[in-house]
Amino acid sequence: MENKKTGASACLNKPRYGEGHIFIWCENYCRRILYIDILYVEASRSYCEFHLIDGSRVTLSWRMRIVEQILPTDTFIRVHQSFILNWHYVDSYVGNSARIGEQWFPLGRVYRSRLLDVLHFPQISRLNSKMKL
């Protein structure tokens, strides 16, 4: 944008757009949150807290069941009674835990196999590596 009086141009923060987003009421306004900006959702009783990639959090009075139905299944996966992860950000998986950044998440017994399917966990390569030892 250029200032007509001085002729100087200013760099504006252009909004980011993605294929998928959700609008969430935050205080007195409605905020667009891109799916790619959501790292994980954490439940606490009848509230859910969206943890975003920029480190901010948005708390809503929604139950986890509602959030699970709203978020797309091709990006988000429920891994525990209290957590829904954006599986694109899962860095590692060990036993009954998954990690995004420095945060570890427990995997519920019911949800574990689905996460392994989504992560395309190569069972054959695990068997081959054990045989080589």
Side-chain angles (χ1 to χ4, degrees):
M1 179 177 207
E2 187 173 307
N3 186 330
K4 292 184 181 181
K5 288 186 178 180
T6 62
S9 60
C11 178
L12 297 176
N13 288 334
K14 295 183 180 178
R16 294 177 50 223
Y17 298 102
E19 291 183 18
H21 62 271
I22 184 172
F23 279 97
I24 296 177
W25 280 100
C26 300
E27 297 175 14
N28 296 326
Y29 65 95
C30 197
R31 176 179 174 185
R32 178 201 326 245
I33 298 178
L34 300 177
Y35 293 142
I36 60 172
D37 289 340
I38 301 171
L39 291 174
Y40 64 95
V41 180
E42 181 177 6
S44 177
R45 298 188 185 181
S46 62
Y47 290 90
C48 281
E49 191 167 57
F50 287 73
H51 294 260
L52 307 178
I53 198 164
D54 65 358
S56 65
R57 296 183 223 170
V58 178
T59 304
L60 302 171
S61 64
W62 292 357
R63 293 195 176 272
M64 189 63 113
R65 179 176 31 92
I66 300 299
V67 173
E68 186 178 17
Q69 292 172 357
I70 291 171
L71 295 176
T73 56
D74 63 339
T75 305
F76 295 92
I77 184 166
R78 190 164 186 174
V79 296
H80 187 269
Q81 186 176 4
S82 301
F83 294 104
I84 295 175
L85 305 181
N86 182 335
W87 67 267
H88 295 284
Y89 292 111
V90 172
D91 296 330
S92 22
Y93 158 78
V94 176
N96 289 327
S97 299
R99 185 179 77 171
I100 294 178
E102 297 300 316
Q103 178 76 31
W104 285 94
F105 301 93
L107 301 179
R109 217 175 338 129
V110 176
Y111 307 104
R112 185 173 178 264
S113 63
R114 181 149 185 272
L115 177 67
L116 295 179
D117 291 342
V118 168
L119 293 178
H120 307 290
F121 196 79
Q123 296 291 335
I124 295 172
S125 66
R126 282 183 64 208
L127 294 175
N128 288 340
S129 65
K130 286 182 181 179
M131 291 176 161
K132 290 178 185 177
L133 298 174

